[in-house]
Amino acid sequence: MKVLLIFGLVAVALADVTRFEGDKVLRLKPVLNEHVKVIRELANSVQLDFWTPESAEQVTVGISVDIRVPAMYLDMAFTVLQQSGMQLDVFIDDVQEAVDRQIENKGSPRAHSYTKYNTWSEIESWMNSMATSNSDMISKEVIGNTYEGRPMVVLKIGKKSGSTKPAIFMDCGFHAREWISHAFCQWFVNEAVTTYGSDSQITSLLDQMDVFVLPVFNVDGYVFSHTSNRMWRKTRSRNAGTSCLGTDPNRNFNAGWCTIGASTNPCSETYCGTAPESEIESKNLADFIRKNKSIIKAYITIHSYSQLLLFPYSYTYDLAADHDELLEVAKGASSALRSLYGTVYTSGPGAPTIYPAAGGSDDWAYDLGVKYSYTLELRDEGQYGFLLPESQIKPTCEETMLAIKYIATHVQKNLY
């Protein structure tokens, strides 16, 4: 009887896991207004998952459009798209196979691994261990709980001193399915601690400044992406009057909130929420930065994918007051990153560089007075998209460290 019960529970658990057999990721190249119209009409007819840009509304002439098409809609999608004459390439032939191939490190190593995609429970345990075993360099603070009650944990890294130091704030994992982002924050913390004393840039930085790191911002969504739906993006809050869950937290900040590149539809992947900071996760982060505004001199948020280094603004095409300096630093950081493996990043303000999007945390931080505000979109450019294999964690993190150190060194030398 117990055996039957166990098999029944396993069957229920498996039934709750979203599968992607036969789904394909297509790259479209709209070069005519008619192509844009076709894509938007198709999105209104069938359920498409926009990988880049993040919604049909953001599709414009001349940009690459990556969409996941569920297997059941493929025949219709191919017919419509091919009849339009639009360039179409299949980037991922079977999404489920790509999901399965992504996890390359089998088994659970005794020590925390920085080259695999760790679960939330593994990351939570790691944070506790890092703070305990490196008490001279790391302290831990819970800045609030998520919608589902999980802690949002910030690690403060820096050489302890008797006075308050200026700081940099960095977060990872705004969007649940961007797993390489979460991996980078873990890599950064470990690299900072283990190279202190041997890496002159890290040593100087942590002697003179502190770095606040939030390894997982959207904890609930990240857990769900591991247990139920690998492609989940948003938070997990309940939207009143609808069966749709979650808000896009990077549309939920008071920076041109919900004016452009965001949706008022609760079922949309770019849903902006009911008001700025309506998501508890957004409010927790904003409250922490507001509380520490006098010392936070840079805000860096890590996303994927597209290989971009962006800065304000995304909610307007107007240039930021510090545009020239922000661009110069971004180009220098991109050059430093490229020096290791030749990975090319594009730098620029969000709106003209990719597409307009209101409510982003980087724009909000800049308008709050955090001058050096940057968004990194990590590897790759679409071959794997959100399903970057674990074999690419190490090189991605190694090169990204060079960009972060470049930005941090500039901030350190140009405190304001």
Side-chain angles (χ1 to χ4, degrees):
M1 189 67 178
K2 287 184 178 179
V3 172
L4 290 174
L5 178 60
I6 290 171
F7 276 117
L9 292 173
V10 170
V12 170
L14 290 175
D16 289 339
V17 176
T18 301
R19 303 283 295 178
F20 305 97
E21 277 91 355
D23 292 10
K24 297 184 187 299
V25 175
L26 310 182
R27 172 161 290 183
L28 312 176
K29 291 290 185 69
V31 295
L32 303 172
N33 288 328
E34 182 64 27
H35 294 162
V36 173
K37 182 180 178 182
V38 166
I39 294 171
R40 291 179 178 174
E41 288 179 348
L42 183 63
N44 286 330
S45 302
V46 299
Q47 183 181 358
L48 302 177
D49 178 12
F50 280 80
W51 283 21
T52 181
E54 296 163 330
S55 69
E57 292 72 29
Q58 292 169 307
V59 174
T60 58
V61 169
I63 70 170
S64 293
V65 180
D66 294 355
I67 52 171
R68 177 177 63 85
V69 182
M72 63 190 298
Y73 302 129
L74 277 170
D75 287 345
M76 175 185 176
F78 272 117
T79 299
V80 170
L81 294 169
Q82 288 171 345
Q83 285 178 348
S84 75
M86 193 184 330
Q87 181 181 336
L88 181 159
D89 297 298
V90 177
F91 258 49
I92 299 179
D93 189 58
D94 189 300
V95 173
Q96 187 59 49
E97 287 184 4
V99 169
D100 295 338
R101 286 196 306 267
Q102 184 182 28
I103 306 302
E104 298 170 337
N105 295 311
K106 304 300 181 183
S108 299
R110 291 184 179 180
H112 188 80
S113 175
Y114 297 95
T115 57
K116 80 180 188 73
Y117 293 119
N118 296 298
T119 64
W120 164 245
S121 60
E122 290 169 330
I123 296 172
E124 188 175 28
S125 176
W126 165 80
M127 288 189 292
N128 293 333
S129 175
M130 289 295 284
T132 301
S133 58
N134 300 279
S135 58
D136 59 328
M137 291 289 292
I138 298 179
S139 60
K140 187 183 73 167
E141 179 180 349
V142 176
I143 65 171
N145 291 328
T146 65
Y147 178 83
E148 293 180 342
R150 298 180 177 91
M152 294 177 66
V153 181
V154 166
L155 299 178
K156 176 180 163 183
I157 312 168
K159 191 65 177 176
K160 297 290 175 64
S161 70
S163 58
T164 302
K165 297 190 292 183
I168 293 170
F169 186 97
M170 180 167 66
D171 61 51
C172 295
F174 254 69
H175 295 133
R177 62 188 178 186
E178 298 172 8
W179 285 8
I180 187 61
S181 166
H182 311 78
F184 176 72
C185 264
Q186 296 164 69
W187 184 282
F188 176 87
V189 172
N190 181 63
E191 189 81 1
V193 171
T194 57
T195 64
Y196 177 82
S198 60
D199 182 312
S200 60
Q201 282 181 291
I202 289 292
T203 304
S204 175
L205 172 66
L206 298 183
D207 280 346
Q208 298 181 37
M209 301 186 73
D210 290 322
V211 182
F212 295 114
V213 180
L214 177 60
V216 186
F217 169 87
N218 180 7
V219 186
D220 297 344
Y222 186 60
V223 170
F224 194 74
S225 73
H226 273 269
T227 60
S228 300
N229 185 341
R230 177 62 187 86
M231 289 297 107
W232 189 259
R233 165 185 166 89
K234 300 192 288 182
T235 61
R236 294 291 298 164
S237 56
R238 295 199 170 274
N239 298 323
T242 174
S243 60
C244 299
L245 299 179
T247 291
D248 181 348
N250 211 36
R251 300 294 190 277
N252 194 229
F253 288 81
N254 194 13
W257 177 78
C258 221
T259 53
I260 190 170
S263 175
T264 57
N265 177 3
C267 298
S268 169
E269 294 288 359
T270 57
Y271 177 50
C272 60
T274 56
E277 299 175 31
S278 59
E279 295 299 280
I280 186 62
E281 294 87 355
S282 304
K283 188 172 189 333
N284 288 340
L285 181 137
D287 283 346
F288 181 85
I289 293 179
R290 279 191 288 258
K291 183 178 72 173
N292 293 282
K293 177 178 175 291
S294 63
I295 62 169
I296 293 178
K297 304 303 178 183
Y299 172 78
I300 303 172
T301 182
I302 309 294
H303 292 248
S304 76
Y305 61 97
S306 288
Q307 296 174 195
L308 301 167
L309 209 172
L310 307 173
F311 52 87
Y313 286 110
S314 291
Y315 72 83
T316 176
Y317 284 96
D318 294 343
L319 297 182
D322 303 291
H323 171 84
D324 291 345
E325 183 182 5
L326 292 173
L327 179 59
E328 181 182 0
V329 173
K331 286 183 174 179
S334 297
S335 179
L337 184 154
R338 186 170 61 249
S339 68
L340 189 59
Y341 294 110
T343 308
V344 177
Y345 270 56
T346 300
S347 304
T353 303
I354 45 171
Y355 42 74
S361 62
D362 55 350
D363 284 356
W364 171 82
Y366 181 80
D367 283 347
L368 187 70
V370 182
K371 178 179 177 181
Y372 300 106
S373 184
Y374 289 99
T375 294
L376 276 84
E377 298 277 357
L378 305 185
R379 291 190 189 186
D380 60 1
E381 292 183 295
Q383 180 182 356
Y384 299 105
F386 300 119
L387 302 174
L388 198 68
E390 287 181 324
S391 60
Q392 292 202 29
I393 294 176
K394 183 175 184 287
T396 301
C397 291
E398 286 176 334
E399 66 189 12
T400 306
M401 278 295 299
L402 298 180
I404 298 299
K405 287 197 290 185
Y406 186 95
I407 295 171
T409 297
H410 182 88
V411 174
Q412 183 184 342
K413 293 178 179 178
N414 295 274
L415 296 174
Y416 56 93

